[in-house]
Amino acid sequence: MSVEHGLAASRRWLVTGGLGFIGSHFIRIALAEDPELEIVNLDALTYAGNLMNLRDVECSSRYRFVRGDISDPAAVKAAIDPGVSAIVNFAAESHVDRSLIDAEPFKKTNVTGVRVLLEAAIAARVARFLQVSTDEVYGDAVTGELSEESPLSPSNPYSASKAEGEALVQEYRRDRGVPVLVTRGSNTYGPYQYPEKLIPLCITNLIDNESVPLYGDGMQVRDWLHAEDHARGILHVLGSGVSGNAYNLAGGNSCTNLEIAHRLLGACGRSPLTHLRHVSDRPNHDRRYAMSGAKAHALGWRPRIPFDTGLSETVEWYKSNEEWWRRIKRGEFTAYWERQYGARFEERA
Ligand code: NAD
Ligand code: DAU
């Protein structure tokens, strides 16, 4: 798919949070698909950001990394090149369990940061502001599939902060005329996902002969979307979405957490009798997420990667890239990169 869009006049985008999981897939794919495109990646390099995620594009003359926080107006201003035509905001605190312990960083990045970016969008007169949001803003889907018109009913500090970010985006559309788009992606998996999340946590534990911790009865239902499909969906909405609209990016692969655990146990050659343990449930844990993807399908986007293929390739990626995740699991990661590349951050910023 080529990146066809109404942004042809300027192929210069500000992407935020591009050293995280989905943002790094997005940048890699966007640069590969559009040879004219230039991207500045503004990322604070929190615990979840990782320079290794974009090792293969960091030397491209069409890519520039700037270290900075989206809630800092000066950092955002410094990252915006003249003629920038789109802002795509991936930057977020993204882990529900962390938000249950301390919601403050979530408010700072997922709410204040969004407002700072929207102000910068006005100053730079961008043609598109795309807010990457999540199916979690709908809260529990008791029956059926939720559409973009369904009410938002977030049930944890992370999803509440994402819903508030969306509310700000709509406020700036109404009151200030910012040309906004919102995507709501479902649970995403694939290479480069930080191993605090269910799938990489299970895989890396199983590689190490440890068990997988399932919250409660494990019968919670999630809908899984490969990170490359998620990235292509965002590109598609950026190019073809109708300004002011939200688009569900559904994976079409609903299954229980217990089923995920069993698939991964099988893929890693471990038995549920020895390597599966039920642990205390997450407080206020949503039972089921389910969205209709019809609106994004009508734009011409559909996920391409079959779940079986995507999941087994993901297992293989973690088996072949132990260096990537072992550093994280040892907890030395941020310090390591600061030591190795601290000077280069400053040079490139
Ligand atoms: P991630 O946690 O892997 O990466 C987040 C990135 O944002 C990191 O590189 C981090 O350094 C950066 N960041 C955090 N705070 C920042 C700040 N204040 N300023 C600048 N950079 C900052 O996240 P992810 O899983 O790739 O999610 C990306 C986006 O997609 C988020 O907005 C998330 O809400 C959304 N989303 C994620 C999923 C999923 O399953 N992972 C599904 C749907 C939507
Ligand atoms: O649905 C989209 C959301 O998916 C994104 O908005 C979030 O950024 C992303 O983190 C993810 O949120 P979840 O809470 O669904 O992801 P997580 O991998 O933490 O959990 C997936 C499911 O697995 C959830 O029902 C909780 C359960 N779980 C998770 C962990 C970490 C377990 O049973 N055991 C675990 O150890």
Side-chain angles (χ1 to χ4, degrees), residues 16-24 42-50 53 68-71 89-95 105 108-110 113 131-136 158 162 183-189 192-194 196-197 224 230 234:
T16 64
L19 288 175
F21 168 46
I22 307 168
S24 60
L42 176 66
D43 194 299
L45 268 178
T46 66
Y47 78 95
N50 185 341
N53 294 2
D69 187 325
I70 62 164
S71 65
N89 181 30
F90 289 88
E93 288 295 335
S94 69
H95 193 42
K108 183 165 180 266
T109 295
N110 302 1
Q131 170 68 4
V132 179
S133 192
T134 166
D135 65 356
E136 291 222 22
Y158 160 70
K162 293 297 289 185
T183 56
R184 297 182 185 137
S186 51
N187 271 69
T188 305
Y189 73 100
Y192 300 105
Q193 186 168 29
Y194 199 87
E196 65 190 354
K197 308 284 166 63
W224 293 94
H230 194 160
I234 291 167

Side-chain angles (χ1 to χ4, degrees), residues 107-158:
K107 292 184 200 157
K108 183 165 180 266
T109 295
N110 302 1
V111 183
T112 307
V114 174
R115 186 184 287 283
V116 169
L117 289 175
L118 285 160
E119 289 290 341
I122 293 170
R125 297 167 184 246
V126 299
R128 286 275 203 267
F129 181 98
L130 190 147
Q131 170 68 4
V132 179
S133 192
T134 166
D135 65 356
E136 291 222 22
V137 294
Y138 294 117
D140 245 327
V142 180
T143 54
E145 291 184 336
L146 301 178
S147 83
E148 289 79 354
E149 307 312 317
S150 302
L152 305 192
S153 183
S155 36
N156 58 62
Y158 160 70

Side-chain angles (χ1 to χ4, degrees), residues 94 134-136 158 187 198 201 213 215 222 257 282 285:
S94 69
T134 166
D135 65 356
E136 291 222 22
Y158 160 70
N187 271 69
L198 179 69
L201 178 73
Y215 294 162
R222 295 292 182 269
N257 294 337
R282 178 184 274 175
H285 196 174

Side-chain angles (χ1 to χ4, degrees), residues 45-88:
L45 268 178
T46 66
Y47 78 95
N50 185 341
L51 286 167
M52 287 283 266
N53 294 2
L54 281 178
R55 268 268 120 124
D56 48 339
V57 305
E58 70 179 11
C59 291
S60 165
S61 58
R62 297 186 290 122
Y63 171 77
R64 187 163 68 94
F65 165 58
V66 176
R67 189 177 192 181
D69 187 325
I70 62 164
S71 65
D72 172 2
V76 172
K77 193 171 174 207
I80 296 207
D81 285 343
V84 70
S85 60
I87 296 178
V88 185

Side-chain angles (χ1 to χ4, degrees), residues 16 19 92 170 267 272 291 319 339:
T16 64
L19 288 175
Q170 294 304 343
M291 300 185 295
K319 284 183 179 169
R339 272 198 314 276

